[in-house]
Amino acid sequence: MDRMIPGSNVKFPDASAGLPVPAKQLLTEFAREAVLVVIGNALIAAGLTAVGIGKGLGENLVFSEAIGLSIMLLLHVGRYSLQRRNALTAPRLAIVMVVAIIAGAAIGRIVASALLGLDIGKTFATKEIAMTGWIALVATLLVTWYGWSRARIAGLSEQVARTAWLQETAEKTALRARLQALQAQIEPHFLFNTLATLDSLIVSDPPRARELLGSLNRFLRATLEASRTESETLSVQFAVLDSMLAVHAMRLGPRLAYSLDLPADCTKLAVPPMLLQPLVENALKHGIQAALAGGRIDVRATRGEQHVELTVTDTGPGFGATPGTQGTGIGLANVRDRLAALYGERASLTLIENAPHGIVARVLLPADDAHRLEGVESA
């Protein structure tokens, strides 16, 4: 039974199973070698006729084809029998070859004599047998060498394919682990500050504390689920952002206003998990919390023919207020690394000024990849 390697179209035979080679493969190999044997036998017949051996091209051709095909058939039967018993070795194959040459030459001469109406006894004269033996030996060795060479090439090709698959699997495993590590990063200050706010609200405003706890619970649950998957819909990601911003809004009060704009044609688009969360956290840290009066964060998705555009806009101080921090933080670096690992140059993250002040973080994703999950779900 063949074993299909996951993530590949290459089938590798299970050597431990010891099962016979499929009949279709045997017939294919036999037909391919039979064509070569027929051509080789014709050349041998032509050569014998050219040097004056035999009574003519027709008779030589019949004898050559009958003997050559008989030997090839016996050789295939013997090799197949050894393969079925998982006993194919070089010494045993050599014995099969000798037996096939002797028996095949005899059977071939009998068949040829019968076809030509010749006296079978005369075809087994010592001189005729010796000449037939030498010709059959050379032809069989050539055919056997050809078959061994093809088998050797096939084995080397299989080994190369297996090595390439193992390397590809290792690279994918390393990439998946790296992406999951990047996805699992949560801003520690966010958790500490939220827990501190929750502690104070438990005493001063229990209903708000319960509301904050519910938002935090939804956010952490969604974050945990996102860290275990390779893609999610924009509707799921926007729901996570809504929970996160709700927690921050309860902490910061009137200093934070936000909006989430997700058109209906974008809800089922597939994107990497937690793609926008680092951008929102960056806007909160360097935009809203850096301004005494606070500000606003707007998250928006737009679907185009070539790209899906995701933007996180804040009304904070902008680049000049916090030199050396915008665009070089760990969160932004993680987003760029993930985009590069998943899409190569087909995706990008850019930061631009938001007039009159603030920053716009814009992510462009290839539309074909984003549409893939939508097509699966709608089917």
Side-chain angles (χ1 to χ4, degrees):
M1 181 175 62
D2 287 349
R3 175 168 54 87
M4 174 69 80
I5 292 184
S8 172
N9 292 326
V10 179
K11 287 185 178 181
F12 291 105
D14 190 351
S16 62
L19 297 179
V21 179
K24 184 177 181 180
Q25 180 179 345
L26 285 174
L27 291 176
T28 301
E29 293 178 357
F30 183 83
R32 183 168 50 240
E33 291 188 18
V35 172
L36 295 176
V37 169
V38 169
I39 296 174
N41 291 337
L43 294 176
I44 292 174
L48 293 176
T49 304
V51 298
I53 298 176
K55 295 182 179 181
L57 179 61
E59 180 177 313
N60 287 340
L61 183 62
V62 172
F63 271 93
S64 180
E65 296 291 356
I67 294 173
L69 292 175
S70 297
I71 293 174
M72 188 194 73
L73 179 60
L74 292 177
L75 185 60
H76 266 273
V77 171
R79 188 170 59 187
Y80 176 68
S81 177
L82 291 176
Q83 288 177 335
R84 281 184 61 88
R85 294 183 284 111
N86 198 24
L88 183 60
T89 61
R92 289 171 179 168
L93 182 60
I95 295 174
V96 169
M97 186 186 305
V98 172
V99 173
I101 291 174
I102 296 174
I107 294 174
R109 295 194 70 83
I110 293 174
V111 171
S113 298
L115 292 174
L116 295 172
L118 302 177
D119 185 0
I120 296 178
K122 293 182 179 180
T123 62
F124 283 91
T126 304
K127 181 180 179 182
E128 300 290 337
I129 291 294
M131 182 183 65
T132 301
W134 281 110
I135 296 174
L137 176 62
V138 173
T140 304
L141 289 175
L142 290 176
V143 172
T144 303
W145 173 82
Y146 170 78
W148 178 85
S149 298
R150 287 189 59 86
R152 179 62 175 169
I153 293 173
L156 292 175
S157 299
E158 176 183 320
Q159 184 178 358
V160 171
R162 188 189 300 272
T163 302
W165 175 81
L166 292 174
Q167 182 178 359
E168 180 183 358
T169 301
E171 291 176 353
K172 286 184 177 180
T173 301
L175 175 60
R176 186 176 297 110
R178 182 184 176 194
L179 293 181
Q180 288 179 346
L182 296 177
Q183 293 168 7
Q185 290 187 354
I186 301 176
E187 179 63 49
H189 296 293
F190 163 68
L191 292 177
F192 296 148
N193 293 335
T194 302
L195 292 176
T197 303
L198 181 62
D199 181 61
S200 63
L201 289 177
I202 290 176
V203 177
S204 61
D205 194 344
R208 288 193 64 198
R210 189 176 298 108
E211 182 181 353
L212 175 60
L213 183 59
S215 297
L216 179 62
N217 180 54
R218 288 193 301 272
F219 169 68
L220 293 178
R221 185 185 301 274
T223 301
L224 180 61
E225 292 177 356
S227 66
R228 297 173 178 173
T229 184
E230 296 182 3
S231 66
E232 63 185 9
T233 60
L234 274 177
S235 61
V236 172
Q237 190 151 146
F238 269 61
V240 174
L241 295 177
D242 190 22
S243 299
M244 184 182 75
L245 288 170
V247 172
H248 281 287
M250 295 190 68
R251 284 184 48 248
L252 299 175
R255 294 182 59 213
L256 172 62
Y258 69 91
S259 69
L260 301 172
D261 183 9
L262 180 63
D265 62 348
C266 294
T267 56
K268 294 183 179 180
L269 296 180
V271 295
M274 300 171 62
L275 176 65
L276 297 178
Q277 181 182 328
L279 304 181
V280 174
E281 290 176 348
N282 189 71
L284 286 164
K285 181 177 180 181
H286 300 290
I288 308 305
Q289 296 179 2
L292 295 178
R296 181 180 182 85
I297 294 179
D298 298 302
V299 185
R300 183 180 181 184
T302 305
R303 179 175 181 171
E305 294 184 0
Q306 301 296 328
H307 295 90
V308 174
E309 181 178 337
L310 308 173
T311 58
V312 177
T313 305
D314 69 74
T315 59
F319 287 111
T322 54
T325 60
Q326 297 290 353
T328 60
I330 296 178
L332 297 179
N334 285 346
V335 173
R336 288 194 173 96
D337 287 345
R338 293 176 63 194
L339 291 177
L342 292 171
Y343 304 106
E345 297 181 354
R346 297 180 300 140
S348 63
L349 165 63
T350 56
L351 300 180
I352 58 178
E353 290 281 358
N354 179 35
H357 51 80
I359 292 176
V360 179
R362 183 178 67 175
V363 175
L364 291 180
L365 301 177
D368 292 341
D369 291 71
H371 295 172
R372 190 172 302 157
L373 181 59
E374 181 187 31
V376 171
E377 290 187 352
S378 61

